[in-house]
Amino acid sequence: QKEVEQNSGPLSVPEGAIASLNCTYSDRGSQSFFWYRQYSGKSPELIMFIYSNGDKEDGRFTAQLNKASQYVSLLIRDSQPSDSATYLCAVIRAGNNRKLIWGLGTSLAVNP
Amino acid sequence: GAVVSQHPSRVICKSGTSVKIECRSLDFQATTMFWYRQFPKQSLMLMATSNEGSKATYEQGVEKDKFLINHASLTLSTLTVTSAHPEDSSFYICSANDRDLTYEQYFGPGTRLTVT
């Protein structure tokens, strides 16, 4: 079992819809959770981070963390074609020197 | 804020030569910098973690004598690929932690290395 798991997709949504991306992690000691967006041929860009249970909203993005169930999700409202990218979930375990443990990413396609 | 730059963005070199890649945090001080490698359509692979003023910590399987890392200041880390071979051709990306924030890592734009 991988430490951080994501559905590879592709996840296809129509423009204007809500895209829902999910991530589960295996280490209960994980304490910090991140969503990065990566366009093809580019480096990752930090979209959201969340440290506490519950929801965190930033513009069209909402991150949701449920430590009891060990999952973190990212909702993208009013999806745009420019949101088409690979979304990477990453986790930091307690005492792990800030090292990110990465999921393999979910490919999102937003269709005009 | 939290801008990280890398130089060069692209480099082509001949087998056997060495290449140095610079990573700079432009508007913050980076206690810790990370170096990654990414092959086409594959996940990011952490190569090493560098802390300012101390030796880098390399991940298992990464040759420290081949990939030399120097984190000489709170805003600069360098990765030198020594005696490069075609199989070293890859996308090299650095990231940095802002010492005033908690755990967020900000990535540089990456360096595409091609060894001929």
Side-chain angles (χ1 to χ4, degrees), chain B residues 18-85:
Chain B
S18 295
V19 173
K20 181 186 281 190
I21 302 170
E22 289 188 350
C23 177
R24 293 181 185 272
S25 56
L26 297 185
D27 53 359
F28 66 99
Q29 292 185 317
T31 315
T32 308
M33 288 184 168
F34 302 84
W35 286 96
Y36 293 84
R37 182 166 56 180
Q38 188 174 34
F39 293 106
K41 300 198 184 298
Q42 293 191 24
S43 185
L44 289 162
M45 187 196 85
L46 179 66
M47 299 174 69
T49 303
S50 76
N51 293 292
E52 183 263 337
S54 62
K55 288 185 180 179
T57 302
Y58 289 82
E59 295 299 301
Q60 195 171 8
V62 178
E63 299 175 59
K64 61 182 179 184
D65 294 330
K66 179 169 182 60
F67 298 100
L68 301 178
I69 291 171
N70 185 6
H71 192 159
S73 76
L74 282 171
T75 59
L76 173 64
S77 177
T78 59
L79 167 68
T80 301
V81 182
T82 62
S83 188
H85 289 111

Side-chain angles (χ1 to χ4, degrees), chain A residues 31-32 34 36 38 40-46 49 51 88 92 97-100 102-104, chain B residues 34 36 38 43-44 46 49 51 59 91 93 97-98 102-110 112:
Chain A
Q31 58 183 30
S32 309
F34 306 86
Y36 285 84
Q38 188 174 25
S40 181
K42 303 294 185 183
S43 67
E45 174 192 5
L46 181 62
F49 58 90
Y51 300 148
L88 300 165
I92 292 180
N97 195 27
R98 303 184 174 217
K99 189 165 73 171
L100 289 169
W102 296 89
L104 294 180
Chain B
F34 302 84
Y36 293 84
Q38 188 174 34
S43 185
L44 289 162
L46 179 66
T49 303
N51 293 292
E59 295 299 301
F91 191 40
I93 318 171
N97 262 137
D98 185 328
T102 11
Y103 296 107
E104 298 90 82
Q105 281 185 34
Y106 297 92
F107 282 79
R112 195 159 300 282

